[in-house]
Amino acid sequence: MKFFIDTADVAEIRELAETGLLDGVTTNPSLVAKSGRNFLSLVAEICEIVPGPVSAEVAATDYETMLAEGRHIAKIAPNVAVKVPLTPAGLKVCHRLSTDGTMVNVTLCFSAAQALLAAKAGATFVSPFVGRLDDIGHDGLSLIRDIVEIYANYPGIATEVLVASIRNPGHIVESAKMGAHVATMPPSVLRQLYAHPLTDKGLAQFVADWAKTGQSILDK
Ligand code: G3P
C-alpha cells in the first residue's frame, strides 16, 4: 500500500518525507486555504520535496475553466496529479487530461457507481471519502470493499483506489486488507501508526537492561 499525506503544510511534508515512508501528497482547496500560501508556488514546492504524485485540485466547476486550470496545474511539475470533482464536467476533464498523459485524481467519490465512472474516464486515482461517510452514519470502509472488488473484476482498469478522508489507523489497516492501492492520511494519523504501548514498554526494559551491562557499542 502506498502512503500519501493529506496536507498542504510544507513543514510537515518535509519532516515526514525524511522518514522515507511517503509516496505522495494530496491537497484540497480547504487545506490550501488553511496554509495561507499561494496555490501555484505551494504546489511547485511540494512537488520538489516529494518525487511521487502530488494532487492539486482545480477551483472551477465548469468544464472549460476546469480544463484550462487542469492544464495549467499540469505544467507545474511532471509529478502533479490534477484533482477534479466527481461531476459530469469533472469526468469530462479527467478524460481529456488523462488522454493527454496527465495524472488525474477524481475526488469526492461516495459511491461504487461513481468509482466505475471515474475508471471509465481514465482516472489515475479515485478518492472515496471514508471518514465523511462514517460521519453521516454510513460505513465508509464498505465502499472501499465494493470498489476494490469491482475493479478487480476488470483487469483493464488501471485506476488506483486512493482511500481518502481517513480518521484513524483502523481505516488504513482495513483498507490494506481489502487491497486498496493508496491511503492518504493526515500527518497525525501517520504518526499514530507507529504507536503501541508494548513497544514503549519493551523498549524501556531493553534500555534499562542494557545500562546494567555497562557497555557501549561504539566504544573502542
Ligand atoms: O483531501 C480529501 C480528503 O482526504 C479530505 O478529508 O478529513 O476533510 O474529510 P476530510
Side-chain angles (χ1 to χ4, degrees):
M1 177 180 249
K2 285 178 262 191
F3 279 9
F4 290 3
I5 203 79
D6 197 29
T7 184
D9 183 329
V10 170
E12 288 270 35
I13 294 167
R14 278 191 198 286
E15 186 184 325
L16 292 169
E18 282 172 14
T19 65
L21 300 175
L22 218 53
D23 300 300
V25 175
T26 53
T27 66
N28 63 37
S30 307
L31 294 169
V32 173
K34 195 174 155 197
S35 78
R37 293 275 312 267
N38 171 273
F39 173 61
L40 296 174
S41 66
L42 171 69
V43 174
E45 190 174 345
I46 297 172
C47 285
E48 278 183 17
I49 300 168
V50 179
V54 174
S55 292
E57 191 160 340
V58 296
T61 55
D62 68 284
Y63 171 72
E64 294 293 346
T65 319
M66 262 196 281
L67 183 60
E69 288 178 349
R71 286 183 167 150
H72 195 65
I73 291 168
K75 284 188 202 142
I76 296 175
N79 57 328
V80 157
V82 175
K83 212 170 173 187
V84 299
L86 209 155
T87 60
L91 291 187
K92 211 167 139 189
V93 171
C94 173
H95 184 255
R96 282 291 293 272
L97 291 177
S98 50
T99 302
D100 294 346
T102 297
M103 286 191 288
V104 182
N105 178 354
V106 174
T107 189
L108 293 167
C109 174
F110 293 95
S111 78
Q114 290 179 322
L116 265 174
L117 290 175
K120 287 193 74 71
T124 314
F125 305 104
V126 65
S127 293
F129 279 32
V130 171
R132 291 194 197 182
L133 280 169
D134 289 354
D135 291 345
I136 60 161
H138 291 226
D139 180 5
L141 285 171
S142 73
L143 173 60
I144 304 303
R145 187 178 296 106
D146 286 348
I147 299 172
V148 170
E149 183 184 333
I150 290 167
Y151 281 11
N153 287 337
Y154 301 95
I157 291 181
T159 305
E160 297 194 2
V161 180
L162 192 166
V163 183
S165 187
I166 282 174
R167 301 274 191 264
N168 56 62
H171 280 154
I172 299 163
V173 171
E174 291 306 314
S175 299
K177 281 158 73 177
M178 294 167 194
H181 306 86
V182 191
T184 189
M185 62 202 84
S188 57
V189 175
L190 177 52
R191 293 194 177 95
Q192 284 173 6
L193 292 178
Y194 288 93
H196 198 286
L198 289 181
T199 303
D200 298 339
K201 189 180 171 198
L203 182 58
Q205 184 71 58
F206 288 155
V207 168
D209 288 344
W210 177 255
K212 290 176 200 161
T213 71
Q215 300 177 48
S216 169
I217 293 172
L218 296 179
D219 277 354
K220 295 259 163 68

